[in-house]
Amino acid sequence: LKKLKTPKIELENKELFLAIVKASFLNRRKTLINGLTMNTSFDKAVLLEVLEVCQIAPGIRGETLTGSDFGRIANELNKRVDVLVEPIV
């Protein structure tokens, strides 16, 4: 494996990115919006707004997203928070 000179996904907050990915897969057979709502402390209205800005349908499942999609969601959420929001486990 060769380390890339520049990452394929530009992240503003790596920890938030990882929390969003994890929250999307914590519950089986859940839509993206339900997984994020249930497993983070973000308000559902904020999550819906972010998904709309990212042009991602809230009714899809996490496994249909690419790493870049998760990166866009995390970067957009990062603009709306002052501190990292940990997933609810």
Side-chain angles (χ1 to χ4, degrees), residues 26-39:
L26 277 177
N27 303 94
R28 293 178 49 160
R29 302 179 51 86
K30 292 291 180 194
T31 62
L32 181 62
I33 190 64
N34 287 339
L36 293 175
T37 302
M38 291 171 54
N39 300 310

Side-chain angles (χ1 to χ4, degrees), residues 3-68:
K3 185 175 181 179
L4 297 173
K5 292 179 182 175
T6 58
K8 287 189 176 190
I9 304 169
E10 292 293 329
L11 299 174
E12 297 168 8
N13 185 327
K14 182 179 176 182
E15 291 78 20
L16 180 58
F17 170 80
L18 294 173
I20 295 302
V21 172
K22 183 176 179 179
S24 300
F25 292 99
L26 277 177
N27 303 94
R28 293 178 49 160
R29 302 179 51 86
K30 292 291 180 194
T31 62
L32 181 62
I33 190 64
N34 287 339
L36 293 175
T37 302
M38 291 171 54
N39 300 310
T40 69
S41 58
F42 288 108
D43 184 67
K44 187 173 186 174
V46 171
L47 291 168
L48 287 169
E49 179 184 320
V50 165
L51 293 176
E52 184 177 330
V53 168
C54 294
Q55 298 180 335
I56 296 173
I60 63 172
R61 294 198 174 139
E63 63 265 17
T64 64
L65 296 177
T66 65
S68 295

